[in-house]
Amino acid sequence: MLSLFVGLSSCKNGKSQIESISYGLTLSPSGIDPHINASAELGIPLSSVYDTLVFQDPDTGDFVPGLAQSWTISPDALTYTFELREDVVFHDGTDFNANSVEANLNYIVNPDHLSQKAVIMLGPFEQVEVLSEFSVAIHLTAPYAPLLDSLSQVYLGMASPSALGKWGPTEYQFHQVGTGPYRFVEYIPNDHLILRKNPDYAWAPSVYQQNIAAIDEIIFKFYEDPATRSFALETGEIDIIGEIPPQEVDRLLETGEFEFQPVPIPGQPTQFFFNSSKSPTSDARLREILITALDRQFIVDTIFGAYSPVAEGPLSHQLFSYTTTSPYPDYDPDFAVEQLDELGWRIEPGSRVRSKDETPLELSIVAPPWGSNSEVAQLMSATWENLGIQVSLEIAPGFGPLRQLQDSGEYNLIGINFFGTDPDLLSSFYSTDGFYNWSGQSDAELDKLLSQAKAATHDAQERQLYYSQISEMIREQALLIPIRDYVNLVVVRSDIIGLHFSPQGWFPYLIDLRRAP
Amino acid sequence: MKSQPTTTLSLIWAILVILVAFAAPILAPFNPRQPVSDPLSIPSTTTVLGTDSLGRDLLSRLLYGARYSLGLSILAASITILAGGLIGLLAATFPGFPDRIILWILNSSLAIPGLLLAMVLVAGLGPGTSTVIIAVGIWGIPGFARISRTMFKQTLSMGYVDAVRALGGNWVWNSWFHILPNAGFRLIPLATVHVAWAFIGATTLTFLGFAGDPSLPEWGSMLNAGRLHLVQMPHLAILPGAAMSFTILSIHNLGTWLARISKPYSVH
Amino acid sequence: MVPLLNRPASRTLIAIGQRLIFGLLTALTAVTITFFALRLAAGDPLSSLLAQGLATPLQAEVLRVSLGLDQPLTTQYLDFLSSLLKGNLGNSLYTNRSVITVIMEQFQHTASLALLSLCIAVILGLGLGIIAAWRKGSNRSWLAETISGLATSLPVSFTGILTIMILSLSIRTISGSRVLLSSKELLLPALVLGFASSGAIARVIQSGLEESMLAPYMLAAKARGINKESRLLWHALRPSLPPAISLIALEASFLFAGTVVTETVFSRPGLGRLLVTSILQGDYPIAQGIVVLAALFYTFSQSLADILAFISDPRLEKAN
């Protein structure tokens, strides 16, 4: 047994062996078709299987050519015209051209395919028009500033139309064909996913440092349970993994075998929404007091260690449109107690819970199980309980149960946050008919600002101004408790170099990975 | 007899856990839900067993854990024992067709893996302690009903029930009146063993994260949370795990011991 | 199988046939209970899909009709049964893939774990049971009894975590522990699960042995001068096998459920984790499919054990 093992490992080090690394994923998505499914995890491997029409530069935030060499946006912002590269070939040998773009977009908007994310990212999409073999136009029904951002992401990556047609929406996810630096080889759900180098890749965008992949094969494995992640690194099962629990980072670094790379994730911070349509959090003054009573720095230090900054608004610091709002109140428990008394929530003799007109002060918190939301919620409830508030906490074990609890409306606070590089993600959270309007508020002025910001395609400065007004309104109404800007704690084996990420933060540029000589 | 010290130890531990469950608010040095010191701090004079990842006193959480974990399993076991016992009693008092139908359903339900069914139940009803109690309670019913049916049948076949029947009157009522005390006494060891099963069931569900509120000081949830720090702070998982195991072991031993002493005629 | 030859073949066949029919009826009842219990507990299978915005109300209506959810519950039940007979368990709500395919993908992982655990449980259980019965009251017997007691009582969650802890501490201290690590994939989870099941088997073997040691034929064997080892292992062990066999069948289905915790603790793929994820996502057809398959598996192994017991113990014929 032992000799067999020695034999195997020496084989691994042999020069003739192919260069291979394994990458740990932290979620096991229910489906991994980027045109159909919504998981961010699927983008980690698949961003390197597909190329997109444009890419976003992680340093400047500018959009740079990808499969499209150039593009123009009409003055009314309703038509985007793309001139495509003429030398691109899909992994299955078919050519990439304007018809491929047409086929992909029509595949996404086909209502039978039940696209969960890509179709939403296309916004007010009207139709796609093939102008010539390598020229294509996208027509919108209304201006939609986030379109280039959408087109730079894997969800709108270009797949081989013949593969899409051959496999159809249920089976395509197991037979994906793109044009990217890696080819899709095999996917066994919950088990592994294998990518192999595309030796014919010759159209690398400027965001990549290399022109062709150095690692022959990348195997992805799933580690949903945070307790197993650092263990898998130490045992050599995997070389790279994100979402390492903060307390484990220092210990892993002490071994000297690993490098640590904290990657800020743009989008919304870890946050809790107040339900403004349910008593007692329907009272904006009470919401303000509850924020004042929280020591957010202490919460962040306790749970996230030194690696995440405290969040100060509805968007994280990394977003280009992040604008400082009026600061959120400083931690002041004495002032909070004073204010609670003043509002009429008093502790009657013989009771430990504050009440007003015989109604006890009760809060119900609902939190998702991922991303330390549960720990944040536990510290929040401990703090508020200290002030004489009765808090009940429920952790929904998954997204389905979370939505069911949200649907019932029986909560005062709920934790949810989305990631993204375009601030328009705020509109589904704060507009009256937004799908994630979980704070249950309805404000005509906020709605108007959100739609104006969405339409400001040509004027980035104007757009930024709108978002700072929006952030300000959210702050004034105390709809939100921002906790910390999300940082993905990635740990990588020291002999692997070149790990860097797309602006979305989650998706690595796998083409640039190398093993140190 | 080698089993004597085991029984004594089990009895001592079980009494200890029950006492702690009642006296937790007096015994615990801190509020089990409030952070009292730095997270993951090592044992010190103030926090005797150190703190967990949110800075809460581990000792206080362990002490309160006796209350929650034992409470969950005793409540769940009560559902099982009451419902299962009633079904068993019905089957035993109505021999023939009703008995065979009941037995058939019981045997068939035993084919459904209890843990899987309990998980689906908890997901459907929404997580929380009360759903854990209900799911674990239902999980045990078929098995317990089958055993208690046998037990009631044996009691019924004893001579004095026939004697009661001969007296006339409502014979169902009469036989229940007479077999319940008798068979109930014989069911005590089985019920005790069942509390141990319910304990395993409840802590398994809370371990899998179905308890709803994770700040609840409950041994299964604590074991799960402690898993994250297995290398630096193994006692965060080991202590609640050991407390769980000792409790299950001693309840189980006590049940076996009760069964042995309640069968005075069996050869030993 | 000598006892088989002592009986007319036709009678054996009839008895086996009876047991098969009995098993089928039990399976039918179990599947029925599962169907209604799940439907009552889970509520509208489409609600979570709708709630997550993965389908518009219109799409959900279409899906509802195509899944037959607009029909009365009894019609749905009959449809479910008839497609089950055709080996069809429906499609996943999320990926629209066939439930059977999804389950089959994960089946091998759980099956290899469960099989190895079962072997470990049987070997360990037999060993512990025999040692405990060997010389009642000796230290060795007491130790065996204690170990099997621990095996029944220690929750798999705890033994699994202990194992992982020992493993993760040892990779820092013992050189060449990579060998140990390779065992994490299958051997260690199987040991944890097998240990948990061995306790009950040990107890049945032990009490069976103790009982048959007192039987008159054992006295006869002793009188014939057969030594204690042979008496115990050959004459006494055989009659205590049938109850052990049916218990092993019971344990086999227990293992199936036990893999839920083991797969979580060891982060292994398999049916247990598939069930957990599908429950959390509200992918109702997959959850239902797994529970139904588990129930079918259980009744199948019980019937098999029944038949084996019948063949290996002629006394059961009279009881029939």
Side-chain angles (χ1 to χ4, degrees), chain B residues 68 72 75 126-135 206 210-213 216 218:
Chain B
Y68 285 102
L72 280 181
L75 287 175
T129 42
S130 49
T131 27
V132 167
I133 293 172
I134 294 173
T206 54
F210 289 108
D213 180 357
L216 205 69
E218 192 279 329

Side-chain angles (χ1 to χ4, degrees), chain A residues 2 5 30 111 114 116 170 174 189-191 224-225 228 231 234-235 237 251 397 399-401 403-404 435, chain C residues 47 51-54 59 95-97 105-106 109 167-168 172 178-179 181-182 184 264 267 269 273 280-281:
Chain A
L2 191 72
F5 232 78
S30 55
L114 295 177
Q116 297 155 9
T170 49
F174 298 98
N190 290 320
D191 191 1
E224 286 186 85
D225 183 351
T228 58
F231 188 57
E234 287 174 286
T235 59
E237 275 172 65
R251 197 175 59 71
F399 191 80
R403 256 315 295 230
Q404 270 165 358
F435 191 80
Chain C
S47 62
Q52 294 179 51
L54 300 184
Q59 287 169 336
T95 56
N96 202 31
R97 302 177 63 222
E105 272 167 7
Q106 304 296 321
H109 299 293
L167 189 64
S168 50
R172 285 178 189 75
R178 301 266 145 151
V179 179
L181 278 173
S182 65
K184 177 186 165 262
T264 307
S267 207
R273 268 174 75 204
L280 295 186
Q281 287 169 338

Side-chain angles (χ1 to χ4, degrees), chain C residues 299-313:
Chain C
T299 33
F300 173 74
S301 54
Q302 282 293 299
S303 310
L304 196 70
D306 253 9
I307 293 170
L308 282 180
F310 177 78
I311 293 172
S312 67
D313 190 350

Side-chain angles (χ1 to χ4, degrees), chain A residues 394 397 401 404, chain B residues 115-136 139 201 205-206 209-212, chain C residues 41-42 279-280:
Chain A
E394 185 161 345
Q404 270 165 358
Chain B
L115 177 63
L116 309 196
L117 192 68
M119 282 166 54
V120 180
L121 275 178
V122 175
L125 299 170
T129 42
S130 49
T131 27
V132 167
I133 293 172
I134 294 173
V136 175
W139 173 356
L205 284 182
T206 54
F210 289 108
Chain C
I279 284 177
L280 295 186

Side-chain angles (χ1 to χ4, degrees), chain C residues 21-45:
Chain C
I21 293 170
F22 184 82
L24 276 178
L25 285 173
T26 312
L28 179 71
T29 320
V31 166
T32 309
I33 296 172
T34 308
F35 178 86
F36 285 102
L38 294 204
R39 194 51 68 91
L40 292 178
D44 181 1

Side-chain angles (χ1 to χ4, degrees), chain A residues 225 248 378 382 386 393-395, chain B residues 34 56 127 212 214 227 232:
Chain A
D225 183 351
E248 294 280 281
Q378 290 182 57
N386 257 345
L393 168 61
E394 185 161 345
I395 303 300
Chain B
Q34 291 290 340
R56 298 174 295 206
R227 230 150 41 101
Q232 307 142 278

